[in-house]
Amino acid sequence: MKTIAITGGKGGTGKSTVASSLAVVMSSNKKILLADADVDCPNDHLIFSVKRKKLIDVYQPVPKWDFSKCIHCGKCAEVCKQNAIVAVKGKNPAFVQELCIGCKACIVACPVGAITESRKKIGVIYTGDNYGVHLVSGELKLGELASGEMVVETRSISLDIAKKNEFDIILTDSAAGIGCPVIASIQGSDFVAAVTEPTPSALHDLKRVLYIADHFKIPKGIIINKSDLDKRFARKIEGFARKHEIPIIGKIPYKQDFVTSTIKMKPVVVFDKGYRDNFIDIANNILRRL
Amino acid sequence: MKIVVTASGPDADSVVDEKFGRCPYFILVEIEDKKITNWKSIENTSIKQKTGAGTTAAQLVADIGVNKIITGNIGPRAFDVFRQLGVDIYEGNGTVMEVVQEFIDGKLHMLEDAKCPKSRIS
């Protein structure tokens, strides 16, 4: 079983478009799990026309005070880097749950053992099936901070399902950017497919996300989406790839159908089978590098 | 009784600030027998923080031993802290001394909740 991360840096380059169609073409002869790790704004269930079913709630540890033991020393507030605890002389400490990231420093710092571990819900993991692909979709609760942790949990649940049901491939569809949730989507993968487009901002962000793949020593390739929108700039990206010996594993020309298929809530290779060959080529380019 | 008013400046005639966590100054006013006996301004150093200004400002104000707070508005986190500490929050609009007088006269409205708009989006 192998894991492929679909990422790219800049938003709107077509990560989910590529991930969904790659999942569909790969599923013709393999068992494919698509993990939607864009936990802030998951969309793959919409591209797949799937009504997701809730699998599990995801929790994070938070402190709980036994005020009968509390000596109002303020040590818990002192060690809280998140400023989630406000301690005032002679009063029980006030706790702002939304700010807590579950580090448990307060539990360790409390000299009288008045703090124990409780938990708060930070998100939900959903599942669904369509077009021969099993979808696992993580969604962070609004206002919560732990998108990286939510990605880790989404991937770990995906791995459990994939192992139990003998899946061949997990495709992880990452969020845009290069922050904590994207790093969590990439680390430990067998291959990183970076989806980009021929624009200066996309190339700038592509370099940053490829740096992360390098850091984890993961083999990587570039997919130039909308490659014919600016052929000169597409060549510039190819030049960059050549210079750094990164393979271009796919080029996808721009077609109105890509937008229409998203509106119709179908992967583009389902919407029009004419695009299958392009995505089969990309899939094979990835599979033979695993 | 100690009252803290969120202020846009350090003076007693400064306008009440709309923010709590990121207001530039707190004016601490002491009241005895319905009369203002003393006041001083305190710079809100939590403005410099990138995040969590609401709870740090709440810590700063709570450490003074404040009894009541007057502000234009307050965020849900700072509100939560004062609810747990048992400090009442009043909504005020005008200059610092005007709203304190309105408080003394019992004309101010106590906030039951942080005034952030409730979204109906689902």
Side-chain angles (χ1 to χ4, degrees), chain A residues 20-22 24-25 267-276 279:
Chain A
S20 57
S21 279
L22 275 181
V24 171
V25 296
V268 72
V269 292
V270 173
F271 179 74
D272 187 334
K273 298 221 169 5
Y275 297 108
R276 283 184 69 91
F279 281 94

Side-chain angles (χ1 to χ4, degrees), chain B residues 1 3 11-12 14 16-17 19 37 44 47 50 52 54 59 62 72 82 88 92 98 101-102:
Chain B
M1 179 191 282
I3 300 175
D11 308 315
S14 303
V16 174
D17 202 277
K19 305 173 289 298
T37 54
N44 181 12
I47 286 190
K50 293 176 192 76
Q59 176 81 64
F82 289 120
D88 297 332
E98 278 168 14
Q101 193 54 52
E102 282 170 15

Side-chain angles (χ1 to χ4, degrees), chain A residues 67 77 82-89 91-99 142-143 145, chain B residues 49 51-53 55-56 58-59 62-63 65-66 76-78 80-82 84-87:
Chain A
F67 289 137
Q82 288 296 111
N83 294 315
I85 306 168
V86 174
V88 182
K89 269 196 188 124
K91 286 188 178 180
N92 292 327
F95 174 56
V96 184
Q97 186 165 277
E98 291 78 22
L99 287 172
L142 283 171
L145 307 167
Chain B
Q49 273 178 218
T51 63
T55 44
T56 315
Q59 176 81 64
D63 280 336
V66 68
R77 290 165 182 170
D80 193 19
V81 169
F82 289 120
Q84 292 178 55
L85 295 176
V87 175

Side-chain angles (χ1 to χ4, degrees), chain A residues 40-55:
Chain A
D40 285 289
C41 297
N43 285 161
D44 289 351
H45 62 290
L46 298 174
I47 299 179
F48 271 81
S49 297
V50 162
K51 187 147 173 59
R52 299 174 297 174
K53 283 207 179 82
K54 178 172 154 178
L55 182 68

Side-chain angles (χ1 to χ4, degrees), chain A residues 61-277:
Chain A
V62 289
K64 192 183 171 195
W65 280 260
D66 178 350
F67 289 137
S68 71
K69 288 185 185 167
C70 179
I71 54 167
H72 305 155
C73 69
K75 290 254 164 58
C76 52
E78 222 171 86
V79 297
C80 181
K81 296 278 185 223
Q82 288 296 111
N83 294 315
I85 306 168
V86 174
V88 182
K89 269 196 188 124
K91 286 188 178 180
N92 292 327
F95 174 56
V96 184
Q97 186 165 277
E98 291 78 22
L99 287 172
C100 179
I101 56 165
C103 76
K104 304 185 210 176
C106 52
I107 299 178
V108 176
C110 180
V112 293
I115 312 175
T116 51
E117 196 179 319
S118 182
R119 60 181 199 170
K120 66 167 174 177
K121 184 176 160 182
I122 60 162
V124 181
I125 292 175
Y126 299 93
T127 57
D129 291 272
N130 206 357
Y131 311 121
V133 175
H134 185 62
L135 177 71
V136 175
S137 170
E139 189 163 312
L140 189 74
K141 193 177 154 196
L142 283 171
E144 286 298 336
L145 307 167
S147 45
E149 284 84 342
M150 196 62 206
V151 170
V152 169
E153 199 59 24
T154 304
R155 287 187 62 194
S156 140
I157 295 290
S158 299
L159 194 62
D160 285 350
I161 296 171
K163 276 184 180 161
K164 213 172 281 170
N165 301 287
E166 295 178 338
F167 276 79
D168 300 304
I169 303 279
I170 296 176
L171 279 168
T172 313
D173 185 15
S174 99
I178 56 144
C180 178
V182 176
I183 293 168
S185 301
I186 291 174
Q187 63 96 11
S189 298
D190 297 294
F191 191 81
V192 168
V195 182
T196 194
E197 63 182 23
T199 62
S201 47
L203 177 58
H204 172 268
D205 300 355
L206 174 72
K207 288 174 183 171
R208 286 167 70 83
V209 85
L210 290 174
Y211 180 93
I212 295 169
D214 263 358
H215 174 85
F216 290 116
K217 301 188 173 65
I218 304 170
K220 56 196 179 299
I222 297 169
I223 298 168
I224 308 177
N225 191 20
K226 316 170 204 176
S227 58
D228 54 351
L229 280 187
D230 185 342
K231 286 178 184 161
R232 236 180 67 188
F233 205 89
R235 280 199 294 278
K236 190 170 175 180
I237 295 174
E238 288 178 83
F240 157 79
R242 245 192 327 274
K243 188 179 156 200
H244 295 276
E245 296 175 343
I246 306 164
I248 301 283
I249 52 170
K251 284 206 267 183
I252 306 166
Y254 178 77
K255 291 282 184 320
Q256 179 72 36
D257 284 347
F258 283 69
V259 179
T260 314
S261 68
T262 308
I263 295 166
K264 301 277 187 206
M265 297 171 76
K266 279 178 181 162
V268 72
V269 292
V270 173
F271 179 74
D272 187 334
K273 298 221 169 5
Y275 297 108
R276 283 184 69 91
D277 286 349

